Amino acid sequence: MAEDRRKKIVEMLDEGGSVKVSRLAGTFQVTEETIRRDLELLEKDGYLTRTHGGAVKSSLDQQEIAFYIRNMRNREEKEAIGRKSLEYIQPGEVIALDASTTALQIARLLKENPIKDVVVITHALKVIMTLAESPTITVISTGGVLEQRTMSFVGSLAENALSNYNIKKAFVSCKGVTLEEGITESTDVQAKIKEEIVKGAKEVFLLADHDKFGQAALATVAPVTVVQKLITDDKTPLPEIERYRSEGIDVVAVDSGEGGR
């Protein structure tokens, strides 16, 4: 699969420093043109520099490599969810984006399709960097202690900063979601800051691809009932979607960002 292939290319670059198109094509049993498209995408994301006949590793540290691997998981679904999320953002609104790779897709789309006078409040370093040069978007960082694993600011400074703002819409993802345990995260610090984002927002949008359903991680952020809209992809089983709808949650399942059920 393309996603797994690109992950492996990143890992090979991390280990060896360079790769060759011809060797990659043989390893993955795909055409050289397919490999060139992979390398073009990875170069766009800043993880390599293409050379004649191959590519060399960019100067990234291990934390950035780890973040990229996580970002590649279900990338097409996350892009579709991000694209649908953009439809709910209006000019002049104050929104919050968490440090999830799905929310990062919203930031990238906002950069490409700016919405006038939007204010983005975030604890995510990648979101800040993505929107840093967008002239029509104001970016407010929470500050705090940088957690390298998630490339995000955490701790009391970040949590307290969120209480100072009137957030119209919050876009958050999770490690897992169930009706029983609610929205869950893998660490206490991430759960706490997402809890503050949810508490401070008038509307909460939960961004959850199909892999998140039925998974209960270590710490609960909030019950699912705090969510006004749950945006997922069309690989989420319809019976699972209907369970959430029965709890009064508006669920949208998108197909490449062009529709839903």
Side-chain angles (χ1 to χ4, degrees):
M1 300 295 291
E3 178 181 301
D4 293 332
R5 188 174 63 244
R6 290 169 192 151
K7 287 181 186 177
K8 186 61 178 177
I9 291 172
V10 171
E11 291 170 355
M12 292 168 72
L13 277 167
D14 190 34
E15 293 172 2
S18 66
V19 291
K20 292 292 185 182
V21 170
S22 57
R23 182 170 296 182
L24 291 174
T27 299
F28 298 110
Q29 298 185 1
V30 296
T31 66
E32 291 190 4
E33 183 58 33
T34 296
I35 294 298
R36 290 190 187 96
R37 285 196 296 269
D38 288 338
L39 298 182
E40 182 178 359
L41 175 62
L42 294 172
E43 183 178 51
K44 181 180 178 182
D45 285 344
Y47 291 91
L48 58 80
T49 300
R50 284 184 295 167
T51 61
H52 180 68
V56 296
K57 175 184 174 182
S58 294
S59 55
L60 299 176
D61 61 27
Q62 292 298 315
Q63 296 295 340
E64 289 174 300
I65 291 292
F67 185 92
Y68 181 74
I69 297 297
R70 184 163 59 93
N71 191 37
M72 283 296 294
R73 184 171 178 82
N74 296 333
R75 179 163 181 149
E76 290 183 1
E77 289 86 350
K78 291 174 181 178
E79 287 180 349
I81 292 169
R83 197 176 303 116
K84 174 58 70 173
S85 299
L86 210 66
E87 296 179 13
Y88 300 104
I89 303 173
Q90 302 299 317
E93 286 187 331
V94 178
I95 69 169
L97 297 180
D98 72 357
S100 65
T101 55
T102 310
L104 180 58
Q105 295 298 331
I106 298 177
R108 287 173 172 165
L109 289 163
L110 267 176
K111 180 181 179 180
E112 296 169 4
N113 308 276
I115 300 174
K116 187 177 180 182
D117 298 331
V118 165
V119 177
V120 176
I121 299 170
T122 185
H123 68 119
L125 181 59
K126 291 286 187 180
V127 170
I128 296 167
M129 293 169 64
T130 298
L131 295 174
E133 297 181 1
S134 299
T136 64
I137 297 173
T138 300
V139 181
I140 298 176
S141 169
T142 61
V145 178
L146 180 63
E147 183 184 62
Q148 292 185 329
R149 184 183 65 84
T150 58
M151 302 296 285
S152 66
F153 297 105
V154 297
S156 59
L157 183 61
E159 294 163 15
N160 293 338
L162 288 162
S163 64
N164 294 326
Y165 302 107
N166 297 314
I167 301 169
K168 172 64 175 175
K169 295 170 181 173
F171 296 86
V172 299
S173 189
C174 57
K175 186 70 173 180
V177 58
T178 68
L179 287 174
E180 296 74 23
E181 287 83 10
I183 305 164
T184 59
E185 264 301 331
S186 55
T187 66
D188 287 334
V189 289
Q190 286 296 327
K192 183 60 179 174
I193 195 160
K194 291 189 181 189
E195 179 185 351
E196 293 301 320
I197 292 174
V198 168
K199 282 167 55 178
K202 291 182 174 61
E203 296 178 60
V204 178
F205 292 72
L206 179 62
L207 318 175
D209 63 65
H210 60 277
D211 279 346
K212 306 294 175 61
F213 287 84
Q215 305 296 320
L218 174 68
T220 295
V221 174
V224 185
T225 49
V226 304
V227 174
Q228 279 70 49
K229 193 175 294 291
L230 194 165
I231 307 177
T232 186
D233 61 83
D234 61 351
K235 291 181 183 178
T236 303
L238 186 56
E240 186 77 0
I241 290 173
E242 293 300 339
R243 291 181 66 225
Y244 286 81
R245 286 175 174 164
S246 70
E247 296 294 321
I249 299 168
D250 183 9
V251 183
V252 177
V254 296
D255 177 9
S256 300
E258 297 174 357
R261 63 186 179 203

